């Protein structure tokens, strides 16, 4: 069972020492193994999620940026499709984002996740989709765009509006509870938790587990076999806007929040594209430019504002943690906990004030690049912390390994099972990230490649040859860019060689985006 949050930094867990309340995830980490040097294969949603499903790097699958739909034939060869063919009951619950929600000029793409196309899918439609036998999806989950009423929306949105109270719920969501906030895209929401999308995902996951447990008990009584299950449960928080519902918005007091140690926009020390991403006019259509300027960018926040944002971000994480606790309890109640591999991770992180930056963009600092990865299951060492440099792209091969089922698409994925079982010769030397983005995000096209070891990181923009390099052991807050420092030429050459070792299987031509995201 893969449980995922969205835009969740790797250091925002109680076990990492930050002041965020995550008791269930802390327990899961004690019961299993966590990878403290896990990175995402891409720092935005669609490429990262597609890489997890397929085990294929973004430039090979073609999903090299947001707004590019994952090829359904490639998805069918991902872990869900192959496990389904091998006899698993496969289910996706929550935010998928394998297809673009928005499309240029609101042209329908025909995909269920596409807002102009969702009316084509009946209320009783449940898949298949992207290799999963059945799906229960939310279309967005980020309430910058409130849930679409029927005939739009997907399973969550139609449930949300089905009782006729959708307009009232939207008004409650938009109501700003005290204490009032001054921070961008941040407010304490009056939407009752029972109607929140994180709760809906938790409800649907708990019901699915209970249903599977009932089938297993009935099969046991009849001396029959029941299909094993593979479920991806995906919550949309703590992605911006930062809008935790009451009482979760009050759980962390702003005055008690731990601020990032380095909050200065020292752009003179950084590669040219950092400034470009912040100051250039985004390209694309007027509609996509508006999204990029108003939603994807955030002005530098004061410390007071940043405390408000982080307090709400923590509240969103605690609500996610609460759903994780419910799911783990459901596995116990169904008698499935002892033979189920449970994985928790996120698609990418969040800058959250590091270097004076917010949200995400082409600045591959640790807060954005690194994600939590916790695994619990049969044979997995308890209370173990691995420092191996791994990637969430490795999950496809890991699930294939545990299921003894080949996943042909997972050509860039390497099973984590040997590391989980403590096998010798399972060492990793680096993990890899890539992002080729067009000018719609920051007004200029970029071809970014990143390689990360246990203790160092190199990012290069291939078209210009400019880069940044950090000694993470001695400079964990990435204050000093060593890329052009002659004293570290040897490290740069070593990391560059690893970066250039990427397999020569980039898709040509690469698909163009159908929308901004």
């Amino acid at each position: 069972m893969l449980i995922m949050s969205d835009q969740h930094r790797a250091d925002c867990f109680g076990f990492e020492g930050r002041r965020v309340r995550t008791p269930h995830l802390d327990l899961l980490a004690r019961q299993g193994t966590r990878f403290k040097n896990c990175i995402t294969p891409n720092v935005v949603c669609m490429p990262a999620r597609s890489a997890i499903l397929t085990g294929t790097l973004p430039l090979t699958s073609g999903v090299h940026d947001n707004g590019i739909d994952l090829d359904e034939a490639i998805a069918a060869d991902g872990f869900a499709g192959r496990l389904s063919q091998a006899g698993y009951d496969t289910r996706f619950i929550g935010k998928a984002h394998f297809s673009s929600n928005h499309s240029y000029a609101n042209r329908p793409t025909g995909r269920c996740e596409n807002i102009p196309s969702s009316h084509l899918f009946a209320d009783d439609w449940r898949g298949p989709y992207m290799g999963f036998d059945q799906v229960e999806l939310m279309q967005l989950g980020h309430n910058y765009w409130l849930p679409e009423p029927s005939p739009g929306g997907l399973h969550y949105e139609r449930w949300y509006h089905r009782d006729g109270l959708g307009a009232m719920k939207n008004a409650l969501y938009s109501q700003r509870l005290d204490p009032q906030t001054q921070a961008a895209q941040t407010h304490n929401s009056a939407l009752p938790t029972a109607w929140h999308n994180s709760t809906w995902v938790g409800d649907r996951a708990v019901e699915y587990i209970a249903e599977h447990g009932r089938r297993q008990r009935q099969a046991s009584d009849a001396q029959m076999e029941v299909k094993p299950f593979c479920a991806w449960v995906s919550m949309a928080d703590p992605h911006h806007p930062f809008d935790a519902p009451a009482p979760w918005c009050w759980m962390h007091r702003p005055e008690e929040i731990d601020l990032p140690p380095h909050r200065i926009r020292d752009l003179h020390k950084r590669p040219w594209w950092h400034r470009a991403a912040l100051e250039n006019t985004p390209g694309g259509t007027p509609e996509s430019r508006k999204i990029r300027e108003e939603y994807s960018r955030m002005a530098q926040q004061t410390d007071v504002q940043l405390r408000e944002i982080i307090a709400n971000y923590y509240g969103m994480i605690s609500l996610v943690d609460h759903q994780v606790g419910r799911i783990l309890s459901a596995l116990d109640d169904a008698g499935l906990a002892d033979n189920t591999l449970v994985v928790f991770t996120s698609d990418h992180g969040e800058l959250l004030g590091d270097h004076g930056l917010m949200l995400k963009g082409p600045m591959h600092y640790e807060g954005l690049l690194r994600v939590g990865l916790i695994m619990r299951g049969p044979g997995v060492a308890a209370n173990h912390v691995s420092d191996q440099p791994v990637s969430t792209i490795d999950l496809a091969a890991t699930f294939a390994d545990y299921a003894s089922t080949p996943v042909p698409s997972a050509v860039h994925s390497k099973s984590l099972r040997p590391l989980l079982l403590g096998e010798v010769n399972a060492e990793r030397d680096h993990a890899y990230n890539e992002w080729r983005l067009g000018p719609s995000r920051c007004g200029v096209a970029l071809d970014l490649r990143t390689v990360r070891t246990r203790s160092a990181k190199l990012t290069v923009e291939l078209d210009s040859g400019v880069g940044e390099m950090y000694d993470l052991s001695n400079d964990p807050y990435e204050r000093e860019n060593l890329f052009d420092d002659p004293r570290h030429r040897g490290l740069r050459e070593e990391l560059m060689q690893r970066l250039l070792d990427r397999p020569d299987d980039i898709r040509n031509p690469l698909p163009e985006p159908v929308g901004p995201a």
Side-chain angles (χ1 to χ4, degrees), residues 33 35 341 375 378-381 384 386 388 390 394-395 397-402 413-428:
T33 292
F35 292 87
L341 180 69
M375 306 182 76
V380 177
H384 179 66
S386 172
Q388 298 288 324
V390 301
D394 295 325
L395 290 174
T398 303
F399 298 148
D401 192 354
Y402 273 93
S413 181
K414 189 175 180 181
S415 176
L416 299 170
R417 192 177 187 184
L419 294 175
L420 292 167
L421 300 180
E423 293 182 13
V424 296
N425 302 321
E427 296 277 308
R428 305 289 183 94

Side-chain angles (χ1 to χ4, degrees), residues 445-458:
L446 299 170
D447 191 353
L448 297 174
R449 314 292 175 86
T450 294
V451 64
R452 191 192 188 284
T453 68
R454 286 184 179 89
S455 58
K457 178 172 61 181
L458 172 73

Side-chain angles (χ1 to χ4, degrees), residues 7 16 23 31 46 56 59 78 80 85 116 153 155 236 281 308 311 326 336 404 416 422 453 470 504 512 514 517:
Q7 205 161 306
E16 282 276 350
Q31 293 173 334
M46 293 177 68
T56 305
L59 288 169
Q85 292 175 27
H155 303 97
T281 299
E308 292 173 341
R326 296 178 62 214
L336 301 172
S404 300
L416 299 170
T453 68
Y470 301 102
D504 186 19
E512 292 293 325
V514 299

Side-chain angles (χ1 to χ4, degrees), residues 174-183 186-190 249-250 254 304-305 307-309 312:
S174 301
Q175 183 180 338
R176 293 175 171 267
L177 298 177
D178 289 332
Q180 297 297 305
T181 60
Q182 304 302 315
T186 303
H187 80 278
N188 301 318
S189 170
C249 58
W250 299 317
V304 170
Q305 292 169 320
R307 287 181 188 278
E308 292 173 341
I309 290 172
N312 218 301

Side-chain angles (χ1 to χ4, degrees), residues 83-326:
L83 266 63
S84 176
Q85 292 175 27
Y88 277 73
D89 176 23
T90 57
R91 183 78 59 102
F92 195 103
I93 299 170
K95 177 189 173 181
H97 213 183
F98 301 127
S99 303
S100 185
N101 303 128
H102 306 279
S103 45
Y104 296 130
N106 284 325
R107 288 189 295 268
T109 66
R111 297 286 185 95
C112 63
E113 296 187 79
N114 176 241
I115 291 171
S117 304
S118 56
H119 69 280
L120 301 173
F121 295 82
D123 286 353
D124 61 355
W125 176 81
R126 292 290 186 275
Y129 183 59
M130 295 295 174
F132 291 91
D133 298 325
Q134 293 195 55
V135 295
E136 297 179 87
L137 303 176
M138 70 177 76
Q139 194 158 56
L140 280 166
H142 314 313
N143 287 324
Y144 182 86
W145 298 274
L146 289 166
E148 285 270 318
S150 187
L154 290 171
H155 303 97
Y156 167 69
E157 290 80 10
R158 295 181 189 185
W159 169 87
Y160 182 92
H161 286 282
R162 188 170 296 139
D163 58 7
L165 301 177
M168 183 192 77
K169 294 171 187 174
N170 285 346
L172 286 169
Y173 165 77
S174 301
Q175 183 180 338
R176 293 175 171 267
L177 298 177
D178 289 332
Q180 297 297 305
T181 60
Q182 304 302 315
Q185 295 196 47
T186 303
H187 80 278
N188 301 318
S189 170
L191 179 72
T193 304
W195 290 327
H196 192 275
N197 55 64
S198 289
T199 304
W200 179 84
V201 171
D203 289 345
R204 302 312 307 137
V206 165
E207 176 54 33
Y208 173 68
I209 292 165
E211 171 193 325
H212 190 84
R214 286 192 294 271
R215 289 200 304 264
Q216 184 163 322
R217 288 191 296 273
Q218 291 166 359
S220 177
D221 291 343
Q223 296 185 330
M224 297 171 60
E225 290 189 2
V226 67
K227 283 184 175 184
F229 77 95
C230 171
W232 185 337
V233 177
S234 176
M235 284 166 275
D237 276 355
H239 191 288
H240 66 288
F242 306 106
D243 54 4
W248 304 92
C249 58
W250 299 317
M251 183 171 284
H252 303 85
R253 296 165 61 88
E255 59 270 24
E256 297 172 354
I257 287 301
D258 40 7
L259 289 173
H262 187 68
R263 305 189 292 283
I264 300 168
R265 284 193 179 180
D266 47 3
L267 296 174
H268 63 286
K269 291 185 175 183
R270 311 300 161 183
W272 63 268
W273 71 81
H274 286 220
R275 185 179 295 278
L278 296 170
E279 298 178 0
N280 280 13
T281 299
T285 66
E287 295 87 355
S288 66
R289 189 177 304 123
K290 185 173 188 292
I291 291 173
R292 290 288 171 242
E293 291 180 335
E294 296 182 7
Y295 178 63
S296 301
R297 283 181 172 178
M298 185 180 288
Q300 188 166 8
Q301 303 290 289
T302 67
D303 281 358
V304 170
Q305 292 169 320
L306 189 54
R307 287 181 188 278
E308 292 173 341
I309 290 172
I310 297 175
N312 218 301
Y313 182 75
Y314 283 1
M316 297 162 82
I317 290 172
S318 291
L319 179 54
V320 167
D321 177 84
H322 181 70
Q323 307 311 322
V324 172
R326 296 178 62 214

